[in-house]
């Protein structure tokens, strides 16, 4: 998108008719006047400014809005009780829609991070929402609670309040709503220092931005945030 779709920059594995180049050329022919672009994140706005087709077009960032009357803190002990979760260890939350093999979502980076976390001797539990327990579950190295899919704001607010941290290991994500919703509920978010997470997280304030795409630093960020909660007496576990 920076150079245009040219014959000399076509990926070697893409054989046959170059549909991407054809569509790009059609856009170049048709888009004679600038279009005002609105993006939810500064990361995407910068991509527009780097685009061969759009670099001279006007662009404005308007983040996705949420209702903070809905996405707000509630009693953490109550939230865990409503979900039937134990209160003995910190719980790390992770959302998936059965997309554990989606490269851009970074679940492979999360698995590697949890291996480092295990070596750091930090005992935690995992809560995975958006997926029922599979017949052959992934070994994350820690106890896992699958809570399935929820489609209403109240249930999701309970989930965000029941966990100590929300994990967003995406390689590419424009403006992840789980990060905004969780932090609005008072739950810190951890992700990589790229994409829309840069607009959501203030590093070491309401979350942690790990070096892209370093599983060890991601694990360190989890440890840092849990220890910070312990230091601030904000970790409400038995």
């Amino acid at each position: 998108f920076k150079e245009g779709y040219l014959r000399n920059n076509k990926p070697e594995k893409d054989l046959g008719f170059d549909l991407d180049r054809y569509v790009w050329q059609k856009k170049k022919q048709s888009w004679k006047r600038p279009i005002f672009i609105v993006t939810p994140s500064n990361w995407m706005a910068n991509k527009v400014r780097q685009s061969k087709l759009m670099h001279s077009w006007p662009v404005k960032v308007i983040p996705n809005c949420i209702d903070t009357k809905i996405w707000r803190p509630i009693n953490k002990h109550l939230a865990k009780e409503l979900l039937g979760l134990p209160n003995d260890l910190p719980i790390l939350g992770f959302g998936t829609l059965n997309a554990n093999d989606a490269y851009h979502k970074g679940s492979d980076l999360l698995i590697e991070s949890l291996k480092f976390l295990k070596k750091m001797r930090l005992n935690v539990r995992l809560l995975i929402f958006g997926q029922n327990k599979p017949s052959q579950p992934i070994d994350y190295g820690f106890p896992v609670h699958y809570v399935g899919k929820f489609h209403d704001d109240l249930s999701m607010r309970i989930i965000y309040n029941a966990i100590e941290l929300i994990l967003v290991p995406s390689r590419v994500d424009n403006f992840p709503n789980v990060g905004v919703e969780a932090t609005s509920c008072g739950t810190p978010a951890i992700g990589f220092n790229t994409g829309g997470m840069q607009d959501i997280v203030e590093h070491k304030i309401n979350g942690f931005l790990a070096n892209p795409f370093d599983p060890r630093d991601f694990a360190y960020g989890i440890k840092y945030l849990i220890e910070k909660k312990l230091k601030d007496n904000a970790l409400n576990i038995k």
Side-chain angles (χ1 to χ4, degrees):
F1 77 97
K2 295 180 181 179
E3 301 174 342
Y5 289 81
L6 310 174
R7 285 190 173 90
N8 61 0
N9 66 8
K10 179 182 177 181
E12 293 182 2
K13 64 179 181 179
D14 291 352
L15 304 176
F17 178 67
D18 193 343
L19 180 60
D20 291 333
R21 183 168 184 264
Y22 173 80
V23 172
W24 187 86
Q25 288 177 325
K26 285 295 182 182
K27 290 177 180 178
K28 187 177 179 181
Q29 293 168 8
S30 302
W31 294 351
K32 300 299 183 183
R33 293 187 299 172
I35 300 171
F36 200 110
I37 303 295
V38 176
T39 69
S41 68
N42 283 288
W43 171 78
M44 182 163 277
N46 289 331
K47 297 302 179 187
V48 172
R49 297 183 184 107
Q50 296 170 9
S51 166
K52 180 77 172 177
L53 288 179
M54 306 178 193
H55 67 274
S56 63
W57 293 5
V59 59
K60 183 175 179 64
V61 177
I62 303 178
N64 296 330
C65 298
I66 63 171
D67 188 346
T68 54
K69 293 180 181 178
I70 295 174
W71 305 107
R72 57 183 174 82
I74 61 174
N75 182 277
K76 194 166 288 289
H77 288 298
L78 174 61
K80 290 183 179 183
E81 186 178 332
L82 289 170
L83 294 174
L85 297 172
N87 200 36
D88 56 344
L89 294 172
I91 299 178
L92 315 179
F94 173 60
T96 176
L97 292 174
N98 295 315
N100 290 320
D101 59 346
Y103 180 79
H104 68 285
K105 288 296 185 182
S107 60
D108 58 319
L109 297 175
L110 175 61
I111 292 170
E112 289 302 310
S113 296
L114 294 174
K115 289 179 182 178
F116 284 117
L117 195 66
K118 193 80 172 177
K119 294 177 182 178
M120 295 175 184
R121 301 185 182 279
L122 185 67
N123 291 322
V124 299
R125 294 180 179 274
L126 297 179
L127 181 146
I128 297 179
F129 56 91
Q131 179 184 25
N132 294 319
K133 185 176 181 179
S135 56
Q136 295 182 322
I138 296 172
D139 181 10
Y140 289 102
F142 296 96
V144 181
H145 302 270
Y146 291 89
V147 295
K149 296 180 181 180
F150 291 91
H151 304 282
D152 63 285
D153 294 345
L154 177 58
S155 297
M156 288 306 303
R157 183 174 70 183
I158 293 171
I159 288 174
Y160 292 138
N161 278 279
I163 61 180
E164 271 65 49
L165 302 179
I166 186 75
L167 311 179
V168 189
S170 302
R171 287 182 170 88
V172 180
D173 215 329
N174 177 30
F175 195 76
N177 282 342
V178 293
V180 186
E181 293 164 358
T183 53
S184 184
C185 290
T187 298
I190 177 170
F192 292 109
N193 191 16
T194 185
M197 287 298 286
Q198 295 171 314
D199 290 357
I200 296 168
V201 173
E202 284 188 81
H203 186 54
K204 295 186 176 181
I205 303 298
N206 68 338
F208 191 96
L209 293 173
N211 297 325
F213 295 98
D214 184 348
R216 187 189 298 271
D217 197 43
F218 196 93
Y220 168 76
I222 295 172
K223 186 173 184 288
Y224 173 86
L225 292 173
I226 292 297
E227 289 180 347
K228 184 177 187 298
K229 280 198 162 194
L230 283 168
K231 183 179 179 181
D232 297 342
N233 295 317
L235 193 57
N236 297 311
I237 59 175
K238 293 179 181 178

